[in-house]
Amino acid sequence: MRPRNVTVLAYDGVRLMDVTAPLEVFGTAARMGGAYTLKLCSPTGAPVTTSAGTRLLVDAAATEIDGTHTLVVPGSVDFPQHAPPLPLLDAVTALAATSERIASVCTGAFLLARAGLLDGRRAVTHWRHAATLARRHPGVTVEPDAIFVRDGTVYTSAGVTAGIDLALALVESDEGADLAREVARDLVVFLRRPGGQSQFSVPSRARAAADDPLRPVLDAIATDPAADHSLPVLARLGGFSPRHLTRLFHERVGSTPAVYVEAVRIEAAQSLLAAGATVTAAATHSGLGSDESLRRAFLRRLGVTPSTYRSRFRSTTQPADATSTTPRRVSAPDPRPPE
């Protein structure tokens, strides 16, 4: 098979892991038999200094690259505050013109948007900068917290480690699930978080202050997702009428109580499946009920079936009672997600 040329664009101020993580995925795939060749380029062909202070040597200038299959555009901490320099934009435009598909990592989406490559497309970036991207580029439909998004031949991903998820997804698309799984195993990472999975947990997004009237309701849902969280029960718990509770959820959470409860239950089911629970046990102990209800919810929210999710995420060391353990709490104490 003719090798697929993967070109990663580096530049001064680029985030080091945005560059190295996709290179490691594609490089590992190549060592395992995948049809990939790798090149690291910069706008002028000169070495670059990353945001970590590390100097990177490159293979070529952007103008010397021809016939790229996959172009990877990493991010920089500067892009949400400052416009990228024109030589860098010119390099992106030139490389994109000869690439079969284009992928950005983290704030690399700002570069693609500034070059006009995201106009009329869906895209994602680091959760911290999603609103800025949407405001600065109204022609782009920004997904607020997906792991990665594909729109045609253009792929965008969230912060840092999401570049690994995206690269694994591209390897799986090119070479099949077996090779992608071997790469993930070699790198000791999951294969793979579905692109539509949230960048951070549902309860952490809806954290309420101690004096917030919704705090008891949100805590009850997060503490025991499988309990009865019907609208009348939640309303009584919070001391509201059902109508007032629904209004508060719309104002403070951005969804109805039922939609929020389902999201927390899906996250609880994910946790159970990752720990080795059966699909039936995950459905029961997350509060989603039946296998079919769990399947429909996963397909709607994550785009994969529970069985597929379990095979990709199951822990290699499963607790003995993994099939019957009810998660004590879904949310992490840290209100901000890791990158």
Side-chain angles (χ1 to χ4, degrees):
M1 181 181 293
R2 185 177 178 181
R4 304 176 187 88
N5 302 319
V6 177
T7 300
V8 179
L9 175 63
Y11 49 88
D12 287 331
V14 71
R15 293 194 74 163
L16 180 60
M17 194 169 176
D18 285 8
V19 174
T20 57
L23 281 174
E24 194 63 44
V25 171
F26 287 112
T28 302
R31 291 193 298 275
M32 293 180 172
Y36 295 107
T37 60
L38 307 178
K39 282 192 176 180
L40 182 64
C41 73
S42 69
T44 64
V48 301
T49 302
T50 70
S51 60
T54 303
R55 294 269 289 172
L56 296 178
L57 300 178
V58 302
D59 300 306
T63 54
E64 298 171 342
I65 302 293
D66 186 31
T68 295
H69 179 272
T70 302
L71 170 64
V72 179
V73 179
S76 166
V77 295
D78 295 331
F79 293 156
Q81 289 79 36
H82 308 290
L86 287 178
L88 179 55
L89 279 176
D90 290 341
V92 171
T93 302
L95 289 166
T98 60
S99 299
E100 294 183 31
R101 67 185 179 194
I102 304 165
S104 69
V105 182
C106 197
T107 57
F110 283 81
L111 263 177
L112 298 190
R114 189 63 183 265
L117 298 170
L118 297 182
D119 289 348
R121 296 184 185 274
R122 296 164 51 248
V124 69
T125 188
H126 191 289
W127 60 268
R128 191 188 300 277
H129 306 301
T132 301
L133 181 65
R135 184 175 62 254
R136 191 174 298 171
H137 300 281
V140 181
T141 301
V142 179
E143 301 287 342
D145 67 347
I147 297 295
F148 62 84
V149 169
R150 175 188 178 182
D151 193 322
T153 58
V154 179
Y155 299 72
T156 51
S157 62
V160 186
T161 58
I164 297 176
D165 295 292
L166 176 53
L168 284 170
L170 295 176
V171 170
E172 184 175 3
S173 175
D174 294 338
E175 299 283 352
D178 288 344
L179 180 60
R181 189 176 298 110
E182 286 303 310
V183 173
R185 185 176 300 153
D186 185 77
L187 300 180
V188 198
V189 295
F190 287 130
L191 174 71
R192 62 179 164 78
R193 291 184 291 177
Q197 180 173 314
S198 174
Q199 293 182 38
F200 44 100
S201 71
V202 174
S204 73
R205 279 179 283 169
R207 276 178 65 99
D211 58 349
D212 191 305
L214 276 185
R215 179 67 179 269
V217 177
L218 296 177
D219 283 351
I221 296 170
T223 300
D224 188 2
D228 182 359
H229 296 311
S230 61
L231 183 59
V233 169
L234 293 177
R236 285 197 299 272
L237 176 64
F240 312 113
S241 69
R243 177 176 294 183
H244 184 51
L245 179 65
T246 301
R247 185 165 57 250
L248 284 175
F249 261 82
H250 275 295
E251 292 174 353
R252 298 168 185 264
V253 179
S255 73
T256 66
V259 168
Y260 180 81
V261 168
E262 183 187 64
V264 173
R265 285 174 171 170
I266 289 172
E267 200 165 83
Q270 290 175 260
S271 176
L272 287 163
L273 290 170
T278 65
V279 171
T280 298
T284 300
H285 296 298
S286 67
L288 286 167
S290 68
D291 291 16
E292 180 59 22
S293 295
L294 181 63
R295 188 184 73 84
R296 288 198 302 267
F298 264 55
L299 286 173
R300 184 171 61 252
R301 292 292 187 106
L302 304 177
V304 295
T305 65
S307 297
T308 299
Y309 185 93
R310 184 175 185 269
S311 68
R312 290 173 175 172
F313 287 86
R314 185 172 51 201
S315 171
T316 56
T317 56
Q318 301 173 19
D321 60 344
T323 58
S324 61
T325 300
T326 301
R328 288 184 293 248
R329 187 172 180 86
V330 177
S331 61
D334 186 349
R336 287 300 188 184
E339 294 182 347

